Amino acid sequence: DAKTTQPPSMDCAEGRAANLPCNHSTISGNEYVYWYRQIHSQGPQYIIHGLKNNETNEMASLIITEDRKSSTLILPHATLRDTAVYYCIVLISNFGNEKLTFGTGTRLTIIP
Amino acid sequence: ETGVTQSPTHLIKTRGQQVTLRCSSQSGHNTVSWYQQALGQGPQFIFQYYREEENGRGNFPPRFSGLQFPNYSSELNVNALELDDSALYLCASSSRGQDYGYTFGSGTRLTVV
C-alpha cells in the first residue's frame, strides 16, 4: 500500500506557482520523499527527492516539514506542459534496488 | 547518454496467448524494474532484475516472468494472457550505488482481446 496521501486533482493558472501537497505521516527516519510526474501516455519522470532539508533543482522545489510528516512540491512558474499526474513516494533510498510504491497521485491541470 | 527504450510501443494479443516485451536500460544502469499500469491507476511493481537474477517481486502470479541479459537489457514475459493483463507496461532502470532515481521508458501498451 502507498504510504502517502495526495489530493486527487488540482488546477493552477499558467505562470503561477503550483503547490502540490503530500502527507506521509508514517514516514521512517531513513525514508526519503520522492516526486515523479507522468504526462499522458508517457513513463513517469523523476522530479526531485529529499530527506529532511528543503531541496531545489531546475524543475522544482521540495519543502519538507520539520516533523517530516508532510511535504510540498512547488513548480515556481507553471506552464501548460506541467499538466500531468504527480506522484509523491516515500522509500528507503537503498541505491537503486527499492521498489516504487505509487498511489493514485494528483492530477494537476494548468489553466491558460 | 541514451534513455530507456521499450519495444514494441503497442501490441494486441488474444486471450491465452503469450507475449514478450523488451527493455533497453539507460547507459550506465545495471538494474531493471518492471511495472504494470492499468488505466486510471498508478504503476504497480512487478519485479526487479539485478545481475541477471530476480531481486524482488510484487503481487503478480508466476505466469509473469522476466530475464536480464549481460548488457543489462531485459524482457518481460507473460503467459496465458488474460483480459485483465491489458495495461501499460513500464520498464525503469537504475544503478545500484548511485542515488539518482529511476529512469522510466515510455512503456508498451498491451491490449488483450
Side-chain angles (χ1 to χ4, degrees):
Chain A
D1 293 335
K3 300 180 182 179
T4 62
T5 304
Q6 300 177 252
S9 63
M10 293 181 63
D11 293 340
C12 179
E14 187 178 16
R16 304 297 293 270
N19 297 280
L20 291 89
C22 179
N23 287 322
H24 31 79
S25 58
T26 61
I27 193 169
S28 300
N30 59 351
E31 287 185 310
Y32 288 71
V33 179
Y34 276 75
W35 282 84
Y36 282 78
R37 73 180 183 184
Q38 188 172 25
I39 296 171
H40 183 61
S41 297
Q42 296 182 22
Q45 175 191 24
Y46 167 80
I47 301 173
I48 198 167
H49 75 283
L51 184 61
K52 47 184 156 182
N53 297 322
N54 297 337
E55 302 288 343
T56 295
N57 63 20
E58 64 278 5
M59 289 182 68
S61 294
L62 174 60
I63 308 298
I64 303 174
T65 57
E66 192 169 342
D67 63 8
R68 302 210 323 122
K69 293 186 177 181
S70 65
S71 61
T72 301
L73 177 74
I74 301 172
L75 307 178
H77 305 287
T79 70
L80 298 179
R81 285 178 293 183
D82 292 322
T83 292
V85 177
Y86 287 76
Y87 296 100
C88 170
I89 300 167
V90 296
L91 75 162
I92 296 171
S93 185
N94 201 12
F95 300 117
N97 68 345
E98 182 85 7
K99 70 174 184 178
L100 298 174
T101 301
F102 291 85
T104 51
T106 295
R107 182 172 298 279
L108 175 67
T109 302
I110 306 302
I111 309 297
Chain B
E1 176 179 288
T2 59
V4 175
T5 57
Q6 294 186 242
S7 63
T9 55
H10 295 83
L11 198 55
I12 299 175
K13 288 287 190 177
T14 303
R15 189 172 49 184
Q17 285 188 313
Q18 178 267 342
V19 69
T20 297
L21 311 181
R22 295 178 175 83
C23 171
S24 294
S25 61
Q26 179 170 306
S27 176
H29 284 184
N30 55 20
T31 302
V32 174
S33 304
W34 286 91
Y35 290 78
Q36 180 195 65
Q37 186 173 24
L39 204 59
Q41 303 296 316
Q44 300 297 308
F45 175 74
I46 302 175
F47 45 54
Q48 182 183 86
Y49 277 82
Y50 173 66
R51 289 186 175 176
E52 302 177 46
E53 291 190 358
E54 187 178 293
N55 178 56
R57 188 178 185 94
N59 189 26
F60 282 82
R63 59 190 185 83
F64 285 77
S65 64
L67 287 171
Q68 186 182 32
F69 300 99
N71 65 354
Y72 308 123
S73 66
S74 177
E75 288 182 355
L76 165 66
N77 299 289
V78 186
N79 294 321
L81 283 167
E82 301 177 359
L83 297 180
D84 286 349
D85 295 332
S86 295
L88 180 68
Y89 288 85
L90 295 161
C91 170
S93 73
S94 55
S95 185
R96 294 226 175 170
Q98 294 184 15
D99 185 21
Y100 297 150
Y102 298 74
T103 302
F104 282 82
S106 295
T108 294
R109 172 73 61 187
L110 173 65
T111 302
V112 182
V113 297

